[in-house]
Amino acid sequence: MLQNSKTNKPISLLCQSINIMTTLSQAYRDHPLIHLHHIVPLDFDSLRTVPDSHDWPHSSYDTLKLHTNGDVSIPLIDMSDPNVAMLIGNVCKTWGVFQLTNHGVPTSLVERAEAEAGRLFDLPMTRKLKALRAPGDATGYGLPRITPFFSKYMWHEGFTIMGSSAEHASQLWSSNYQPFCDVMEEYQKNMKSLAEKITHLILNFLKIPDDAEISNWLHSAGAAAACSTALQLNCYPRCPDPTRVMGLAPHTDTFLLTILHQSSTCGLQIFRDGFGWLPVTPVAGALVLNVGDLFHILSNGRFPNVLHRVVVDPTRRRLSMAYFFGPPPDFCVTPFNNPPESPRFRSVVVKEYVGLKAKNLECALSMIEI
Ligand SMILES: C=C1C[C@]23C[C@@]1(O)CC[C@H]2[C@@]12CCC[C@@](C)(C(=O)O1)[C@H]2[C@@H]3C(=O)O
Ligand SMILES: O=C(O)CCC(=O)C(=O)O
Ligand SMILES: [Fe+2]
């Protein structure tokens, strides 16, 4: 029987019965985005002007320009700092986002993964379409899932991986796809172990007891198999007029934490009350971490689930790799509140929340608010 290595208690039945557990891909298949499957990304490189379908209202460009405050920078945390738990906990409370250095993920691995992502997006469109996300599926090449919630398309192409990328990679490259699969597998392993470490530090900071279900899940030997994880490769191609387009529209991420590597090209912005849109300027070797909806719920609203978006660089293509981490789809997330504070949200099962998000995007949270 699997046990929590800290408390020696058996982990919940849900986590043990791996065969009957819902996978994250299944959870997404249960909530298909009906409008998305017949639409494919543009062949961006061939365009000399921005088509109407991708031309965002002028007012959003004004917002991009006027509300970007380049003087305020988001916190940078050194993971080798002896006070790292306190630093991360406090920044999760005050910002919901930070950059992390000395995180232990080898630079060479990040560089190899970025190079493989570049090799993918460099392929001719006819090739990329061979790995097009199937209707209702969550993985493969295609448009961002949030596309149906906006009236214009984003200047973006993406590739989603959940676990092995072999099936789609073999469609992209009939041979020589193993280097892609190997590096993405190693990258996901490294991201998972970093995500587990950070989650552990945050649970301690929140003083969540060792016998709470969330600690039980994180510490259990079963956590190796039972997590919701996904790796999203994002590409924001060069644009003939970046002032008219949106790279990735404003959104919050769904799971506990997102760990993002951004290439040296700028574009990511976070929204901060009182300041507006702030750039997350790339720092060489640093990873960007942000709180997602599930940590917002678990922290009973103490951690903001930061709203973010991506604008397109005027001169260069931008690549990023976002790793999403959370408990398995059948796990029930319950807000942790210190009495007399009362819970702000009802408990929600991860796959139910994925479904609420698929239908309602940013209104999903308010649907579980008490
Ligand atoms: C696990 C996932 C999180 C994500 C949806 C996905 O199935 C894979 C892609 C992720 C992404 C990346 C771009 C922004 C986002 C909102 C989207 O549309 O697809 C996130 C999703 C999310 O956090 O919900
Ligand atoms: O490309 C980026 O910097 C951000 C990507 C992102 O927000 C996402 O994949 O959820
Ligand atoms: Fe995001």
Side-chain angles (χ1 to χ4, degrees):
M1 179 179 288
L2 296 175
Q3 286 187 325
N4 177 324
S5 54
K6 272 192 136 181
T7 61
N8 289 332
K9 286 188 181 163
I11 65 164
S12 82
L13 270 176
L14 274 177
C15 298
Q16 284 182 57
S17 35
I18 304 229
N19 294 337
I20 58 154
M21 264 175 38
T22 315
T23 62
L24 187 58
S25 303
Q26 185 57 50
Y28 277 105
R29 241 174 262 136
D30 293 343
H31 303 286
L33 296 166
I34 41 169
H35 306 297
L36 205 53
H37 68 268
H38 60 284
I39 307 158
V40 297
L42 280 183
D43 194 357
F44 293 99
D45 289 340
S46 64
L47 297 171
R48 296 289 162 264
T49 55
V50 172
D52 183 57
S53 54
H54 289 66
D55 194 345
W56 283 61
H58 207 61
S59 57
S60 67
Y61 172 59
D62 293 339
T63 322
L64 302 188
K65 280 279 162 217
L66 297 175
H67 292 242
T68 298
N69 186 336
D71 299 335
V72 185
S73 47
I74 68 158
L76 184 67
I77 296 180
D78 180 343
M79 194 142 167
S80 62
D81 192 299
N83 290 321
V84 68
M86 195 57 92
L87 291 171
I88 290 181
N90 280 323
V91 161
C92 283
K93 237 164 82 176
T94 50
W95 283 80
V97 59
F98 56 96
Q99 305 219 45
L100 188 68
T101 56
N102 284 316
H103 41 67
V105 180
T107 312
S108 58
L109 173 60
V110 180
E111 285 170 355
R112 278 190 293 131
E114 187 185 316
E116 284 299 321
R119 191 163 77 95
L120 187 165
F121 293 115
D122 278 341
L123 287 169
M125 185 52 86
T126 47
R127 208 67 227 173
K128 290 186 274 199
L129 290 182
K130 306 247 181 236
L132 189 64
R133 202 160 50 217
D137 269 1
T139 56
Y141 176 74
L143 299 170
R145 275 188 76 83
I146 52 174
T147 301
F149 294 95
F150 300 90
S151 56
K152 297 287 180 167
Y153 290 99
M154 291 164 250
W155 204 260
H156 176 280
E157 48 182 336
F159 186 82
T160 311
I161 303 171
M162 292 179 183
S164 168
S165 56
E167 193 186 330
H168 284 121
S170 64
Q171 295 162 340
L172 290 170
W173 299 281
S174 34
S175 62
N176 201 23
Y177 62 89
Q178 205 53 47
F180 177 89
C181 300
D182 291 346
V183 78
M184 292 307 158
E185 192 180 325
E186 201 184 335
Y187 189 80
Q188 289 181 86
K189 251 190 219 152
N190 275 258
M191 287 295 130
K192 184 164 184 283
S193 107
L194 178 61
E196 283 169 354
K197 276 184 211 150
I198 305 286
T199 307
H200 177 76
L201 294 176
I202 296 179
L203 294 186
N204 282 347
F205 174 86
L206 288 172
K207 300 201 170 42
I208 296 187
D210 271 350
D211 59 358
E213 271 300 307
I214 192 80
S215 317
N216 202 20
W217 158 68
L218 190 68
H219 299 145
S220 68
C227 290
S228 294
T229 66
L231 178 62
Q232 169 80 9
L233 310 180
N234 295 303
C235 175
Y236 309 89
R238 281 185 55 173
C239 178
D241 187 353
T243 63
R244 309 178 80 97
V245 300
M246 178 68 81
L248 192 56
H251 67 279
T252 63
D253 295 338
T254 299
F255 293 90
L256 284 179
L257 281 179
T258 305
I259 307 181
L260 179 95
H261 160 73
Q262 49 175 345
S263 67
S264 57
T265 309
C266 296
L268 176 61
Q269 300 178 340
I270 60 141
F271 189 82
R272 189 157 168 81
D273 285 338
F275 291 90
W277 291 103
L278 301 179
V280 182
T281 309
V283 171
L287 293 165
V288 181
L289 279 89
N290 70 266
V291 167
D293 298 348
L294 293 185
F295 239 135
H296 180 67
I297 298 167
L298 189 77
S299 68
N300 203 28
R302 270 168 287 177
F303 291 177
N305 52 340
V306 65
L307 187 69
H308 54 286
R309 70 180 184 186
V310 178
V311 296
V312 176
D313 187 85
T315 53
R316 289 192 298 167
R317 153 172 110 165
R318 175 171 189 276
L319 296 176
S320 75
M321 304 185 287
Y323 180 80
F324 303 91
F325 176 76
D330 292 307
F331 188 91
C332 185
V333 177
T334 303
F336 180 72
N337 60 300
N338 284 314
E341 181 196 55
S342 47
R344 282 184 49 192
F345 305 96
R346 70 163 169 84
S347 298
V348 66
V349 175
V350 173
K351 64 183 176 192
E352 182 197 355
Y353 189 73
V354 164
L356 287 173
K357 196 94 190 259
K359 283 208 184 70
N360 309 284
L361 198 62
E362 78 262 32
C363 298
L365 259 186
S366 63
M367 303 179 82
I368 59 161
E369 227 165 322
I370 296 176

